[in-house]
Amino acid sequence: MEPGNVTQISEFLLLGLSEEAELQPLLFSLFLSMYLITVLGILLIILAISLDSHLHTPMYFFLSNLSLVDICFTSTTIPKMLVNIQTHSKVITYAGCITQICFFIHFSGLDDFILTVMAYDRYVAICHPLHYTVIMNPRLCGLLVLVSWIISILNSLLEILMVLDLSFCSDLEIPHFFCELKQVVQLACSDTFPNDIVMYFSAGLLAGGPLTGILYSYSKIVSSIRGIPSAQGKYKAFSTCASHLSVVSLFYGTGLGVYLGSVGTHHSQSIAVASVMYSVVTPMLNPFIYSLRNKDIKRALERFLGR
């Protein structure tokens, strides 16, 4: 887009999921309920893991980190949306928008990396069970999480620095319920080609790379499970990664659906509605998946709630 009527902006307008006034109370109640369910469910899992010494293992250490990231992920977007609905305002400050983009990119990337680390943990547990405690020692577990945080932070800072270099025109309406990077870049009057290159390169590298790692880990896991002679042994081995596989499928399935939808349609409001799946619904379902499909978590929750 060529520069024209460039202005020093102080705020953007978030159009939300719908501009119909009669739908706002329904949207507020729905998203408040989903947010509270997400936070409560995740906090219960973190508390159960923290208080049960039997769950102080690498697998549940990574699950605690994933749960914490999910809370931060949803808290990046939903509270601001709820405030805007309640105050009948669509405004988000420029600084607030930049901050939201930064944290959204960081926590979505971190979610991606921790899911990959969890896949590696299951690979070691099933394919190299005799060396599991030696390989997945506390130092390596902490290092894997630390590296995930560092890479995610560096990626989000790079994206933000690219956005800060953009000039914007008078059209500052974002057809979304949060400041989504692509939508904000499209509002710029200055040349966005470098931003597009960085955006797609980082998406391909930081989403495709972890996905490749997850697929490789599960290919080895499936191969190893097929070599187990008894049906009971196969079921026991597969059950240890069933919850993780469900969360990975949900995370990548919804994210890929939104990406393909954005390529196939130019209706931004439809993309915003589809984004609810991976940014709100997926984190909300994660605690249910891990609590309902994991016997250890179920027992820990029963002991915790039964006190």
Side-chain angles (χ1 to χ4, degrees):
M1 187 184 294
E2 291 298 321
N5 195 21
V6 180
T7 180
Q8 184 66 38
I9 65 167
S10 60
E11 61 188 34
F12 290 97
L13 296 178
L14 295 172
L15 300 185
L17 296 172
S18 173
E19 295 188 66
E20 296 181 28
E22 60 270 18
L23 287 179
Q24 300 311 306
L26 176 62
L27 288 173
F28 181 84
S29 302
L30 180 63
F31 278 85
L32 178 61
S33 300
M34 289 194 291
Y35 182 66
L36 292 177
I37 290 170
T38 301
V39 173
L40 180 61
I42 289 173
L43 287 178
L44 281 174
I45 285 183
I46 293 175
L47 283 173
I49 292 172
S50 301
L51 297 174
D52 194 327
S53 59
H54 297 95
L55 301 183
H56 293 175
T57 63
M59 174 178 163
Y60 294 108
F61 168 71
F62 296 133
L63 177 56
S64 295
N65 278 273
L66 180 69
S67 300
L68 179 62
V69 170
D70 279 342
I71 284 185
C72 297
F73 187 43
T74 53
S75 297
T76 301
T77 57
I78 302 305
K80 177 58 180 174
M81 177 191 183
L82 294 175
V83 168
N84 279 8
I85 292 175
Q86 189 67 14
T87 58
H88 306 288
S89 170
K90 298 178 182 179
V91 172
I92 182 169
T93 64
Y94 178 78
C97 187
I98 294 297
T99 303
Q100 198 174 65
I101 293 173
C102 183
F103 282 116
F104 187 85
I105 294 172
H106 169 58
F107 289 119
S108 60
L110 193 53
D111 226 336
D112 208 358
F113 283 117
I114 291 181
L115 285 173
T116 308
V117 169
M118 293 175 76
Y120 175 71
D121 172 73
R122 292 300 83 210
Y123 158 73
V124 176
I126 294 173
C127 299
H128 304 283
L130 299 179
H131 303 288
Y132 178 72
T133 54
V134 176
I135 296 173
M136 300 305 295
N137 58 74
R139 183 179 178 182
L140 178 64
C141 293
L143 184 63
L144 288 171
V145 172
L146 178 62
V147 170
S148 298
W149 273 83
I150 291 172
I151 295 175
S152 298
I153 288 172
L154 291 176
N155 176 55
S156 61
L157 287 177
L158 174 62
E159 298 278 16
I160 285 303
L161 288 173
M162 298 292 290
V163 174
L164 289 173
D165 200 38
L166 294 175
S167 300
F168 293 90
C169 304
S170 55
D171 181 14
L172 302 174
E173 294 184 343
I174 301 173
H176 217 300
F177 65 94
F178 66 93
C179 283
E180 199 266 333
L181 176 63
K182 188 177 179 181
Q183 300 284 347
V184 173
V185 169
Q186 288 176 347
L187 296 178
C189 292
S190 52
D191 181 23
T192 62
F193 181 72
N195 297 76
D196 293 334
I197 292 295
V198 171
M199 200 188 320
Y200 289 114
F201 179 77
S202 63
L205 188 65
L206 300 183
L211 180 59
T212 301
I214 291 172
L215 293 175
Y216 177 79
S217 296
Y218 273 103
S219 69
K220 292 295 184 181
I221 288 171
V222 170
S223 178
S224 181
I225 290 176
R226 287 178 63 186
I228 299 174
S230 68
Q232 185 178 2
K234 289 180 179 179
Y235 174 77
K236 186 177 180 181
F238 180 76
S239 64
T240 62
C241 50
S243 298
H244 176 260
L245 193 57
S246 300
V247 170
V248 167
S249 301
L250 193 61
F251 181 79
Y252 276 100
T254 54
L256 188 61
V258 171
Y259 173 76
L260 293 177
S262 66
V263 172
T265 180
H266 297 289
H267 197 275
S268 300
Q269 213 74 31
S270 300
I271 298 171
V273 173
S275 297
V276 173
M277 284 302 297
Y278 78 88
S279 62
V280 183
V281 176
T282 298
M284 181 185 72
L285 293 179
N286 285 354
F288 293 100
I289 292 172
Y290 276 104
S291 60
L292 295 176
R293 303 196 65 167
N294 188 302
K295 292 180 181 179
D296 293 332
I297 292 289
K298 283 176 71 175
R299 281 195 292 266
L301 285 173
E302 286 169 3
R303 283 195 291 269
F304 174 70
L305 295 174
R307 289 184 174 186

